Amino acid sequence: MADEPFVHPRRDPIKSSVGNVAAQRRRQHAITVAKGRREAVVRTKRLCRAGVSGEADDPVTDGSDMMIDAEQSILEDQTCAAVEELKLSMSYQGKGAVQKRVAALRELRRLLSRSEFPPIEAAIKAGAIPLLVQCLSFGSPEEQLLEAAWCMTNIATGKPEETKALLPALPLLIAHLGEKSSLPVAEQCAWAVGNVAGEGEDLRNILLSQGALPPLARMMLPNKGSTVRTAAWALSNLIKGPDPKAATELIRIAGVVEAILRHLRKADEELATEVAWVVVYLSALSNVATSMLVKIDLLQILVERLGASNSLQLLIPVLRSIGNLVAGDDRIASTVLVTGQQITDFVIPALTKCLKSEHRILKKEAAWVMSNIAAGSVEHKKLVYSSEAVPLLLRLLATAPFDIRKEVAYVLGNLCVSPSEGSGRPHLIADHLVSLVSQGCLPGFIDLVRSADIEAARLGLQFIELVLRGIPNGEGVKLVEKEDGIDAMERFQFHENEELRCMATELVDKYFGEDYGVED
């Protein structure tokens, strides 16, 4: 139900790298905001089983979230009956009318919370939405508001058309985010709004046009634990693009920057995780936000969190935030990551810790961040090159799954070149290149050339070119031949990709032409 990945061309070329491919690649990586970013961490939509008031729903009777068809059918029948009971309670005006409505709402809410696949369609077809909207009207008792918002929260976890059925309720849900509502009601409405925002760009735009952003932002300002956590999660769904306007608007709201800093510095890991996801989208989408976040020393706090935490849920958005900030502008990395400063001394060990993790996604994210640092100034390259990360990177290049090997290759490749003037070839850092090749990295790059991944193959060919022209005394030519690099390059002789075909052909002709080996 989340959006497809997108590329919003907001940044100038980000980094120099092996060849000229890195700019577009880093731009795309920095601002792709899709469901995959939260994969195995947090669902874009969240079913509410334990409400913000602390009350928990009845557990599924068999102890699991799976229901057989007969049980699902019974649940749907019960839901239709609950909606009819709610309808009757709404028309009842006698003694105990409020208690009757609340009881009917509570029963509907429990039914919408009991299964991994709630009977949302049955509730909508039975006419639940207009009744719930009516129950959200201002002046209603708090318990009634809370139960109605809870029902809507779980309806919003449904299919796209089911979530869109809540359109008539959105103005009231947003209105109850305000300061006149009790905290439990405001938080439950924030949860519902977050689920709606998680459905996609169209519904996010509707929520934004109806004014959902400012009251959600204000909910994040106090130190209110659960309320702040829910508001931050809803905000991360609301601002995640592709239009950067919402992210820029959020960072400009008074108190937001200070709240982000405070929560990331002092909050527990669960709250810090949600705030870190807000930072991910702010730093990916808004130049204004990136500039403001760097000025408040946020990078220092993120690096400290990275080094101190072992929570996968927190480490992933922290890593991505650091990567976005460093990838955003050469000046940022040069200003913040200065050799000899405390933050600089911490960042590479913290990233190395993640590279050592058993979690595949952490390794990949850490390598991506490190590749952006390694693509910076010569001082940054030396910082990475002289660290304990290099032996680990060399091992990962040889043994890790393909997606990690590709990220690692960018780190190692970036260590061997420095930015060139204009669009020419990057300058070699000969001692880095010679050392890394002598430690056995060349076969890993040649393996990338043999892959079906065009980006990886291009990176492999670019590194082969560095070896051929950069290893002294013509030894690079012999090394490439020894590792079957000629065969790897010749596979592009009739390749459909013209860039790779020309690159490989030129290298083979230049270094292994008809005169190659004659003197021997």
Side-chain angles (χ1 to χ4, degrees):
M1 296 180 188
D3 302 313
E4 292 300 314
F6 71 93
V7 177
H8 181 76
R10 73 170 188 85
R11 300 187 190 274
D12 293 326
I14 294 172
K15 297 291 182 185
S16 300
S17 180
V18 180
N20 299 314
V21 68
Q24 176 62 29
R25 176 177 181 274
R26 295 298 167 215
R27 185 185 308 118
Q28 179 175 348
H29 201 158
I31 63 175
T32 297
V33 286
K35 187 175 181 179
R37 181 162 302 175
R38 307 194 93 174
E39 185 179 1
V41 185
V42 178
R43 287 177 56 181
T44 301
K45 293 185 173 187
R46 294 174 174 176
L47 190 68
C48 182
R49 289 208 171 109
V52 298
S53 61
E55 180 182 351
D57 276 303
D58 299 332
V60 180
T61 54
D62 65 356
S64 73
D65 287 334
M66 301 302 294
M67 299 183 73
I68 62 175
D69 291 343
E71 291 173 329
Q72 189 71 29
S73 178
I74 292 171
L75 185 60
E76 290 172 358
D77 290 342
Q78 291 173 338
T79 301
C80 292
V83 174
E84 287 301 315
E85 183 62 29
L86 178 59
K87 192 178 301 182
L88 291 173
S89 73
M90 298 297 291
S91 61
Y92 180 72
Q93 301 297 325
K95 185 178 179 180
V98 172
Q99 290 79 4
K100 193 175 182 67
R101 283 197 302 274
V102 170
L105 283 167
R106 185 178 294 116
E107 177 61 19
L108 177 59
R109 177 259 292 176
R110 287 174 174 168
L111 292 167
L112 287 169
S113 307
R114 288 192 59 196
S115 168
E116 182 69 16
F117 304 100
I120 296 170
E121 183 179 3
I124 294 174
K125 287 183 176 179
I129 301 298
L131 299 173
L132 293 172
V133 172
Q134 190 176 344
C135 289
L136 271 184
S137 60
F138 274 91
S140 300
E142 179 177 332
E143 194 173 6
Q144 176 178 312
L145 293 171
L146 190 60
E147 293 289 353
W150 192 341
C151 289
M152 290 184 179
T153 298
N154 286 353
I155 289 173
T157 65
K159 300 173 184 176
E161 61 273 15
E162 294 168 348
T163 305
K164 289 176 183 177
L166 288 173
L167 280 172
L170 298 186
L172 279 170
L173 287 170
I174 294 169
H176 283 297
L177 298 175
E179 296 172 354
K180 294 183 179 180
S181 298
S182 69
L183 276 180
V185 170
E187 182 177 348
Q188 194 65 64
C189 289
W191 195 333
V193 167
N195 275 343
V196 173
E199 183 52 59
E201 183 184 356
D202 290 344
L203 284 173
R204 282 199 293 276
N205 287 338
I206 291 172
L207 289 167
L208 290 166
S209 69
Q210 293 181 354
L213 187 64
L216 274 178
R218 286 192 290 271
M219 288 177 66
M220 199 175 72
L221 302 186
N223 297 319
K224 298 287 186 179
S226 171
T227 303
V228 176
R229 187 169 63 245
T230 301
W233 168 76
L235 280 170
S236 70
N237 270 354
L238 190 60
I239 69 169
K240 65 182 181 181
D243 191 335
K245 183 179 178 181
T248 300
E249 181 183 346
L250 174 61
I251 202 68
R252 285 174 168 160
I253 293 175
V256 165
V257 172
E258 293 78 11
I260 288 173
L261 199 66
R262 184 174 70 253
H263 295 319
L264 282 177
R265 179 184 286 126
K266 297 181 178 180
D268 59 63
E269 290 196 333
E270 193 174 358
L271 173 54
T273 296
E274 297 303 344
V275 175
W277 277 113
V278 174
V279 175
V280 168
Y281 296 115
L282 288 172
S283 59
L285 291 164
S286 172
N287 283 324
V288 173
T290 299
S291 178
M292 293 176 70
L293 293 172
V294 169
K295 287 179 181 177
I296 63 169
D297 294 329
L298 180 66
L299 201 55
Q300 173 77 48
I301 296 171
L302 290 171
V303 171
E304 290 173 0
R305 279 282 189 177
L306 189 66
S309 177
N310 291 312
S311 166
L312 177 65
Q313 285 76 14
L314 176 59
L315 289 176
I316 289 173
V318 166
L319 269 174
R320 181 55 62 99
S321 296
I322 294 171
N324 285 349
L325 292 172
V326 174
D329 192 319
D330 278 332
R331 291 171 296 178
I332 291 175
S334 299
T335 302
V336 178
L337 299 179
V338 179
T339 303
Q341 288 190 356
Q342 187 180 38
I343 184 175
T344 309
D345 293 337
F346 284 167
V347 67
I348 301 302
L351 292 172
T352 303
K353 182 192 78 170
C354 295
L355 288 174
K356 293 177 180 178
S357 168
E358 295 299 317
H359 296 288
R360 176 172 176 166
I361 190 169
L362 277 187
K363 290 181 180 179
K364 184 177 178 180
E365 292 286 338
W368 173 66
V369 176
M370 196 172 287
S371 72
N372 276 305
I373 297 173
S377 66
V378 173
E379 288 73 23
H380 290 132
K381 297 172 190 295
K382 291 179 178 178
L383 177 71
V384 177
Y385 176 77
S386 61
S387 73
E388 64 172 328
V390 169
L392 180 58
L393 291 166
L394 290 167
R395 186 164 65 251
L396 289 172
L397 182 65
T399 61
F402 176 79
D403 57 340
I404 297 175
R405 286 192 285 121
K406 189 165 75 169
E407 294 294 342
V408 166
Y410 270 101
V411 185
L412 296 173
N414 285 342
L415 293 178
C416 298
V417 293
S418 60
S420 60
E421 297 295 330
S423 58
R425 292 189 305 179
H427 300 302
L428 281 166
I429 303 179
D431 54 340
H432 289 189
L433 177 66
V434 171
S435 174
L436 293 176
V437 171
S438 69
Q439 294 179 70
C441 74
L442 181 58
F445 282 95
I446 291 177
D447 283 344
L448 294 182
V449 175
R450 298 182 185 278
S451 75
D453 186 291
I454 296 298
E455 180 186 339
R458 182 187 295 110
L459 176 57
L461 286 172
Q462 290 168 335
F463 192 83
I464 287 176
E465 191 269 340
L466 295 182
V467 171
L468 291 172
R469 73 178 168 98
I471 300 295
N473 304 319
E475 290 299 313
V477 176
K478 297 177 182 178
L479 288 171
V480 171
E481 181 182 25
K482 180 181 177 182
E483 299 296 341
D484 290 331
I486 301 174
D487 178 72
M489 289 186 286
E490 286 182 338
R491 67 182 287 270
F492 290 98
Q493 185 176 1
F494 303 104
H495 200 276
E496 60 184 14
N497 186 291
E498 182 178 4
E499 178 193 1
L500 298 188
R501 185 173 67 247
C502 293
M503 189 186 308
T505 299
E506 288 175 5
L507 289 176
V508 172
D509 288 347
K510 180 176 180 179
Y511 293 98
F512 305 98
E514 58 185 32
D515 293 333
Y516 175 67
V518 170
E519 293 182 3
D520 294 341

